[in-house]
Amino acid sequence: VEEFIASAPKTCSLDRTLTALLETLDLVVNPSVSIRVRADKEVHLAISESDFFVLMGHLVLHAVEHAGTNGEISIHCAGNVPGQGVVITVSSEAQKATPFVLKDDISQLIRSDYTNVSSLKDLSDKFSFGLYVAQSIAERYRTAVEYQDDNDTVIRIRICVPASSGSSRTS
């Protein structure tokens, strides 16, 4: 399987892969969470489809966890910016009175505590395990996950993904 994945093309359609991801997440995400997407349908990325699926999956799941019940997630994908790539921003706005708690004891009991793995000892408290995995995938494509929290109820996660040579330009 590893040989097959390694030989897979390092390009994917942003629209098609993001649609498949959101259809999959629709089965597990609380229906009260609103996810809106604004993306250029003609953008092709220079990243394997499986890597992009996993990368975006971790970013969206982190945003969903932050948003909580009745929260809103926004995914904005700008067109290819020459020299920079395709900028993808995942925003989460929580509709709750209490702030998001990364190391919530009850959540830690429900899903085992992955942050105790020795290879993650340098992981920042702000980054969850999912964001750590997303960053490790991003590093393979010479980019980084940027994280910004405006206040207790809004976060933004931004990544610049390389565009493939056949990608369209958007003004």
Side-chain angles (χ1 to χ4, degrees):
V1 172
E2 290 176 2
E3 185 178 312
F4 175 74
I5 291 173
S7 68
K10 300 286 187 214
T11 63
C12 72
S13 165
L14 183 139
D15 179 51
R16 188 179 60 197
T17 308
L18 202 54
T19 299
L21 171 68
L22 294 176
E23 287 174 353
T24 303
L25 291 179
D26 191 39
L27 301 172
V28 294
V29 172
N30 187 332
S32 67
V33 176
S34 168
I35 301 178
R36 293 177 288 144
V37 178
R38 201 171 71 192
D40 184 357
K41 294 183 182 203
E42 299 300 320
V43 174
H44 294 278
L45 307 173
I47 182 172
S48 74
E49 195 166 23
S50 61
D51 280 346
F52 185 65
F53 189 92
V54 173
L55 171 71
M56 287 304 296
H58 282 296
L59 297 183
V60 172
L61 285 175
H62 182 80
V64 166
E65 183 177 12
H66 171 266
T69 306
N70 298 320
E72 294 182 11
I73 309 298
S74 173
I75 303 170
H76 179 263
C77 306
N80 181 21
V81 177
Q84 188 176 22
V86 178
V87 178
I88 301 172
T89 306
V90 179
S91 302
S92 172
E93 185 172 348
Q95 300 295 324
K96 54 187 175 183
T98 57
F100 170 64
V101 179
L102 180 65
K103 298 214 178 237
D104 177 23
D105 292 334
I106 294 174
S107 295
Q108 294 297 327
L109 290 173
I110 292 172
R111 62 174 200 264
S112 57
D113 185 9
Y114 293 109
T115 56
N116 285 337
V117 177
S118 62
S119 64
L120 303 180
K121 64 183 174 190
D122 297 330
L123 181 61
S124 163
D125 285 340
K126 184 178 283 189
F127 270 32
S128 69
F129 179 74
L131 291 182
Y132 175 79
V133 172
Q135 177 60 34
S136 67
I137 293 170
E139 286 174 355
R140 283 188 251 158
Y141 296 91
R142 296 185 183 108
T143 189
V145 173
E146 299 170 10
Y147 187 94
Q148 175 187 24
D149 53 347
D150 293 340
N151 55 44
D152 287 339
T153 59
V154 177
I155 64 167
R156 285 183 186 81
I157 305 167
R158 180 179 178 263
I159 186 163
C160 295
V161 182
S164 71
S165 58
S167 184
S168 66
R169 285 177 59 174
T170 305
S171 305

